[in-house]
Amino acid sequence: MLKKILCIYIILVSFSCKKNNNEIPKFTILSEKERAILKDELLEDRFLNLLPKLMDVAHIDMWLLISREYNEDPVLKTMLPATWINARRRTIIVFYRDKEKNTLERLAVARYDIGKSIKSAWNKEQQPDQWKALTAIIEEKNPSKIGVNFSEHFALADGLVKTDYEEFLENLPTAFHSKIVSAENLAIAWIETRTAKEMLLFKDLVKITHDIIDEAFSEKMIKPGITTTEDVVWFLRQKVTDLGLETWFHPTIDVQRKNDPLKSHIESFSKQKEEEIILEGDLLHCDFGISYIGLNTDCQQHAYVLKSDENEVPSFLKEAFQKGNRVQDLLTSNMKSGKTWNEILSKSLSDGKNEGLRPSIYTHPLGTFGHSAGTTIGMWDSQNGVPYTGDYALRKNTAYAIELNTTVFIKEWNKDIRIMLEEAGFFGDDFFEYVNERQTAIKPIKAK
């Protein structure tokens, strides 16, 4: 069934590409029913083929996730079927891994089955107390370790709230208290690991993101002297809504031009951008991402508004852009399994500076969440490394927003500019690749 749905998906997002006359390619998004089928099939594949391996690596044979409606553990939220927008009442999920028998039981200490993947294991008429029903399961399975989601440094792995944790301990026999461990590494691995089947979807999602940016950065949308940066921002938001998609952050459009000073990093990264009228000779930059069937994109690209006497992007801007691509290459070439991101960050910045570049790197995990769980390669205000999250090692089959910039002096403008890039990348079995290509040249926008 999953193969069939994926084939349908690939057909539906195929493009009827008429690229002449600057016509933007069209694509079709899956219906809500088709999305739900695909989402549940992908989730079942993760439960069946991924989770047992992750639990073995984490040395946790029982994983408990406890949440109440509208206050869900972010990990539990990723495990809900398409028809469950939220948890119901108090939802408790128990995963029990018997490595010797090579089995993984998926139980819900809840009044309902959680879709087709997790079966209810609580009969309230026989045992009215939900906590006692959970305790009975724990006593029966007698796990070596009971993993629960608490973490000091990784927010997405810290989903067990104080009240639920205290009630859990109060009802759990003291003999099991010493078996409770943080499921931090398991929770992170669940969120950060991408399956081969998910990557088929992710590849198309990144392509859709690129095509929306192409439409926004085109003469169809931008009329120099008339169109404002906010016009383009709200075009992006409306386009996402019209396509039946969602965005996980408000997009931004900003301008660099000859007679304006370079903005500081804090101004560049602020989401509160001043509205500006777009003019000929402007170097435009966008930050934009979309959400679809449990995955997220995050992309930054550049465009240039040609002057009336120009037929292509000026060579000095082309050369500056190539330096941005070079910083990307240095970073991705240093991505090695087992290396911490602080090590990768330090090496990449050093390599760039040795080539005369002025790089800044702030790459983050990407996938199930926009700013997802996993390791952090710098932050724009932490270029000497990031404590704790930067010390987390690079794992295989994980995705990242390769986000960075380099500052370049432009003699023709007598000023510095900043080339800011972000593209979805995948680290597989000791290799890196972009999920669906990257920008290698500034997009020209013809003035009409």
Side-chain angles (χ1 to χ4, degrees):
M1 176 62 76
L2 178 56
K3 183 176 180 181
K4 179 180 178 182
I5 294 297
L6 285 169
C7 289
I8 292 172
Y9 178 79
I10 292 168
I11 291 171
L12 285 173
V13 296
S14 295
F15 293 89
S16 55
C17 297
K18 298 179 181 178
K19 302 221 173 175
N20 56 326
N21 299 322
N22 300 308
E23 185 173 340
I24 303 300
K26 307 298 181 184
F27 46 82
T28 303
I29 305 300
L30 290 177
S31 70
E32 289 291 343
K33 182 177 180 180
E34 290 164 333
R35 293 186 211 187
I37 293 171
L38 179 55
K39 180 178 179 180
D40 289 350
E41 294 283 1
L42 290 171
L43 181 58
E44 176 62 19
D45 176 59
R46 288 175 64 83
F47 282 144
L48 188 63
N49 298 311
L50 176 61
L51 185 54
K53 299 174 185 177
L54 298 182
M55 292 184 71
D56 290 347
V57 171
H59 303 292
I60 291 175
D61 55 340
M62 180 173 282
W63 190 15
L64 301 183
L65 295 98
I66 306 171
S67 286
R68 283 171 289 165
E69 193 169 8
Y70 305 131
N71 191 33
E72 291 85 3
D73 178 329
V75 178
L76 182 142
K77 189 88 170 175
T78 70
M79 297 175 170
L80 298 179
T83 54
W84 280 47
I85 308 303
N86 298 94
R88 299 178 183 176
R89 303 182 184 180
R90 176 182 275 115
T91 295
I92 302 176
I93 300 176
V94 180
F95 296 107
Y96 177 67
R97 170 68 169 157
D98 189 324
K99 191 174 181 180
E100 290 185 3
K101 295 181 180 178
N102 194 26
T103 58
L104 175 65
E105 294 184 65
R106 297 173 256 164
L107 307 173
V109 187
R111 291 290 280 166
Y112 320 97
D113 291 344
I114 302 178
K116 296 180 180 179
S117 293
I118 304 175
K119 298 300 180 182
S120 174
W122 178 34
N123 186 328
K124 189 176 181 180
E125 285 65 43
Q126 292 181 0
Q127 173 52 269
D129 190 309
Q130 188 179 20
W131 291 114
K132 288 182 179 179
L134 172 62
T135 296
I137 293 173
I138 294 173
E139 289 178 326
E140 177 193 349
K141 305 302 180 186
N142 191 26
S144 299
K145 290 183 180 179
I146 303 172
V148 294
N149 290 350
F150 61 85
S151 171
E152 181 179 358
H153 303 295
F154 292 87
L156 292 172
D158 192 38
L160 181 59
V161 300
K162 181 175 184 290
T163 302
D164 285 336
Y165 183 56
E166 289 178 346
E167 288 196 43
F168 168 56
L169 284 183
E170 183 180 335
N171 287 276
L172 185 70
T174 55
F176 289 96
H177 285 202
S178 62
K179 295 185 177 184
I180 296 174
V181 298
S182 169
E184 177 184 272
N185 286 339
L186 177 56
I188 293 171
W190 170 262
I191 291 174
E192 74 173 348
T193 306
R194 301 274 65 82
T195 65
K197 292 169 182 175
E198 285 177 318
M199 290 308 298
L200 293 174
L201 170 63
F202 206 11
K203 186 176 182 68
D204 287 324
L205 184 56
V206 174
K207 181 66 168 70
I208 291 171
T209 305
H210 288 168
D211 283 315
I212 294 173
I213 293 173
D214 283 345
E215 187 170 356
F217 279 164
S218 71
E219 50 268 30
K220 174 183 174 182
M221 175 61 206
I222 294 176
K223 314 298 181 191
I226 299 174
T227 306
T228 70
T229 51
E230 282 296 290
D231 290 336
V232 183
V233 165
W234 287 107
F235 167 82
L236 291 169
R237 286 297 301 269
Q238 191 62 51
K239 187 73 175 181
V240 167
T241 299
D242 291 346
L243 290 170
L245 302 169
E246 296 179 352
T247 182
W248 62 276
F249 67 95
H250 187 61
T252 59
I253 300 291
D254 53 86
V255 175
Q256 297 181 85
R257 54 174 63 115
K258 181 176 181 178
N259 295 321
D260 290 349
L262 179 66
K263 295 177 181 178
S264 67
H265 269 97
I266 194 167
E267 288 179 289
S268 295
F269 287 94
S270 170
K271 292 299 180 183
Q272 302 299 320
K273 308 289 186 184
E274 290 188 10
E275 184 173 16
E276 295 186 73
I277 295 175
I278 296 172
L279 305 173
E280 293 182 13
D282 281 351
L283 178 63
L284 305 180
H285 165 263
C286 71
D287 192 353
F288 172 64
I290 57 179
S291 303
Y292 186 53
I293 315 182
L295 293 173
N296 298 272
T297 65
D298 199 355
C299 186
Q300 295 180 47
Q301 295 193 348
H302 285 279
Y304 175 77
V305 185
L306 299 175
K307 297 178 182 179
S308 56
D309 60 348
E310 292 177 323
N311 295 315
E312 60 180 1
V313 176
S315 59
F316 58 86
L317 290 180
K318 291 180 180 180
E319 292 170 3
F321 192 86
Q322 289 173 359
K323 293 180 179 180
N325 282 156
R326 179 57 183 160
V327 177
Q328 289 177 319
D329 292 340
L330 292 172
L331 170 60
T332 58
S333 67
N334 284 320
M335 293 173 69
K336 307 294 182 184
S337 181
K339 290 284 188 182
T340 71
W341 277 123
N342 282 337
E343 292 172 330
I344 296 169
L345 172 69
S346 177
K347 179 70 163 56
S348 302
L349 290 175
S350 176
D351 289 347
K353 291 172 183 177
N354 287 339
E355 292 188 12
L357 301 170
R358 290 187 280 166
S360 178
I361 297 172
Y362 32 92
T363 286
H364 59 84
L366 179 70
T368 307
F369 296 89
H371 291 155
S372 201
T375 190
T376 303
I377 313 181
M379 294 182 179
W380 65 266
D381 54 353
S382 299
Q383 290 296 286
N384 290 322
V386 182
Y388 307 111
T389 58
D391 294 324
Y392 187 82
L394 176 62
R395 302 292 195 268
K396 297 178 181 180
N397 300 317
T398 50
Y400 302 90
I402 304 299
E403 185 179 8
L404 46 78
N405 75 62
T406 190
T407 302
V408 183
F409 179 76
I410 302 298
K411 181 178 63 175
E412 290 78 0
W413 287 4
N414 193 32
K415 58 170 284 188
D416 284 335
I417 66 166
R418 192 172 289 126
I419 300 297
M420 298 172 282
L421 300 174
E422 187 170 18
E423 293 287 358
F426 174 73
F427 184 75
D429 191 4
D430 281 324
F431 70 89
F432 172 86
E433 64 183 6
Y434 287 98
V435 174
N436 197 325
E437 302 181 343
R438 63 169 173 169
Q439 185 181 20
T440 55
I442 298 171
K443 304 174 190 295
I445 301 173
K446 294 181 180 179
K448 287 190 176 181

